[in-house]
Amino acid sequence: MSQVSRHYVLAAGGTGGHLIPAFALAAELDRRGHHVALITDERGAAIPGKPDFLPAHVLPPGRIAGKNPVNWLKGARGILDGRQMALRLFDSFEPSAVVGFGGYPAMPTLLAATAAKIPTVLHEQNAVLGRVNRYFAGKVDAIATSCEEVDRLDPRHAGKVTLVGNPVRSEVLTLRDEPFPDFTEDSLFRILVTGGSQGARVLSQVVPDGLAMLPPALRSRLQVIQQCRPEDIEAVRERYASHGIPAELATYFEDMDERLASAHLFIGRAGASTIAELTAVGRPAILIPLPIATDDHQAANTREIVSAGGARSIRQEGFTGATLAKQIQAMAQHPETLANAAHAAWNCGYPNAARDLADLVESFGAAPIMDVIRMDRKVAPANGNEALAREPAL
């Protein structure tokens, strides 16, 4: 059996929100026997989780922001330099399509792709179309969305939109078929709190005191796992100790998937990857959207899961200990209430997002027949995976 191998270029900004779905798509395309290259910035090239097979090409910074004309000139120069670098990569790699995941490194790559007349696909992770994706929405061949309703998406482009969901890490997706952890009137009540790199401080300030306000019967069963900023962790530890609440604190958890699997309730921000993982696994949540998020997209991200009954959203200006305690009590006062919320969150998930996005990407473009590399598949033992011969990396 032979497999036609194509080349694809993925372009994503250097944050987990852009790169996690890019990595998931890369893994799916690689599994299908294709070759994939990543264009990103310095942060993206160093972010944990990048597949070993995926070469990363770093573009110069090219962000036009602020009011200083000097910064505009520097940003424009970075974009033009990045466009030329991307064109050189296309000359040697000959991609069948280019996929943009948003973020400023995607801009010069997509400019190069449109100039070279290479098929292009956008993937939008949030419920608000990002700035770079808005700019290219009318120029690309397809737009893949993660939500049924996406703000700032021009209705004129509706014909090129496909709802696929937001791909998540494979280790998270394997938890989808696991049952919600047992939660009874006598069991531990495990709460997972994370805030990411931005805004974790408000969680550190509010969550310990809010948990201390819970009724004694609920408070006595608490088991808290919380991610904190390094500069906050000792103060948070002292606060939990003063309340007599057992809490495991760290600045980073390598086994976050296992922590999510055992959690009964999540408290944290509403980034696109967070929402995708909560709905993939089926975990109820109390979400505090980041108020400075561009176009308030984190608040928009909460719409579907909140409407379905899988989460509650609290604006940061109203996020107090008393408000948090009230919402937790409403969700956990009866075991079935929390389990029902978990099921509602699960129903909002898109477990086939990586597959569906890969199908969409594969539908655009094909390398000329003289450039097609046919590769023999070898059947791997036991697990059914396939080993593929590979051409040298770029």
Side-chain angles (χ1 to χ4, degrees):
M1 181 179 178
S2 62
Q3 168 74 23
V4 175
S5 174
R6 298 178 187 173
H7 293 185
Y8 294 100
V9 169
L10 314 185
T15 65
H18 296 306
L19 284 164
I20 288 174
F23 292 163
L25 175 62
E28 176 64 18
L29 291 172
D30 177 76
R31 187 189 68 79
R32 299 183 184 196
H34 302 302
H35 300 284
V36 190
L38 172 70
I39 293 180
T40 185
D41 55 20
E42 291 184 356
R43 291 184 306 162
I47 200 167
K50 185 177 77 65
D52 293 338
F53 66 82
L54 183 65
H57 301 265
V58 176
L59 295 188
R63 179 172 182 172
I64 300 177
K67 299 181 179 180
N68 189 335
V70 175
N71 292 336
W72 298 348
L73 290 174
K74 288 181 179 178
R77 171 54 59 187
I79 291 171
L80 292 175
D81 289 346
R83 179 180 178 274
Q84 289 303 115
M85 291 174 65
L87 285 170
R88 289 196 294 271
L89 172 62
F90 297 164
D91 283 341
S92 61
F93 195 60
E94 297 182 345
S96 293
V98 173
V99 187
F101 286 85
Y104 285 96
M107 174 169 276
T109 309
L110 291 168
L111 286 171
T114 53
K117 300 189 185 316
I118 298 171
T120 48
V121 178
L122 298 180
H123 181 268
E124 179 55 60
Q125 302 87 51
N126 293 295
V128 181
L129 201 66
R131 291 178 180 175
V132 172
N133 284 353
R134 285 204 298 271
Y135 177 81
F136 285 100
K139 304 173 177 65
V140 298
D141 295 283
I143 302 170
T145 60
S146 302
C147 307
E148 290 187 4
E149 181 182 350
V150 180
D151 298 343
R152 307 296 294 270
L153 178 58
D154 194 316
R156 292 177 298 175
H157 307 320
K160 62 175 73 175
V161 172
T162 300
L163 175 62
V164 300
N166 193 12
V168 300
R169 297 169 293 153
S170 59
E171 53 267 36
V172 171
L173 197 56
T174 59
L175 302 174
R176 183 167 176 81
D177 294 329
E178 298 293 323
F180 184 65
D182 288 339
F183 182 67
T184 68
E185 294 180 355
D186 301 317
S187 65
L188 288 174
F189 182 20
R190 291 186 291 273
I191 296 179
L192 176 63
V193 186
T194 73
S197 59
Q198 299 185 81
R201 177 160 295 153
V202 69
L203 301 177
S204 296
Q205 293 169 341
V206 173
V207 173
D209 293 344
L211 296 180
M213 296 178 186
L214 291 172
L218 200 57
R219 173 178 162 175
S220 64
R221 297 156 49 200
L222 287 173
Q223 186 178 72
V224 180
I225 298 169
Q226 183 163 346
Q227 175 201 21
C228 305
R229 287 183 173 184
E231 61 269 29
D232 296 336
I233 193 165
E234 289 306 318
V236 177
R237 183 172 285 116
E238 291 177 5
R239 190 166 294 183
Y240 275 118
S242 69
H243 294 315
I245 297 174
E248 180 183 355
L249 310 178
T251 57
Y252 178 76
F253 290 104
E254 291 187 0
D255 58 346
M256 186 61 78
D257 310 319
E258 295 179 14
R259 309 293 179 142
L260 183 61
S262 63
H264 296 110
L265 178 67
F266 173 88
I267 301 174
R269 293 300 193 190
S273 290
T274 296
I275 300 294
E277 293 190 354
L278 290 171
T279 55
V281 179
R283 290 297 178 270
I286 294 176
L287 302 167
I288 303 89
L290 182 68
I292 61 172
T294 305
D295 297 319
D296 201 21
H297 68 257
Q298 287 205 4
N301 288 346
T302 68
R303 285 191 302 233
E304 187 173 348
I305 188 173
V306 169
S307 176
R312 297 179 180 225
S313 181
I314 305 174
R315 285 286 189 174
Q316 184 162 309
E317 58 268 25
F319 183 52
T320 65
T323 302
L324 177 62
K326 180 180 178 181
Q327 295 294 349
I328 294 174
Q329 190 174 355
M331 295 183 77
Q333 60 182 339
H334 303 296
E336 63 274 14
T337 305
L338 206 59
N340 289 341
H343 186 66
W346 190 90
N347 279 336
C348 293
Y350 293 90
N352 298 319
R355 183 201 69 187
D356 293 344
L357 180 57
D359 287 346
L360 178 65
V361 171
E362 278 189 324
S363 72
F364 288 95
I369 191 66
M370 67 285 294
D371 296 327
V372 169
I373 301 171
R374 295 190 179 274
M375 298 154 51
D376 291 332
R377 286 181 178 266
K378 300 176 183 178
V379 178
N383 60 10
N385 291 332
E386 294 169 326
L388 298 173
R390 302 195 176 281
E391 67 178 5
L394 291 178

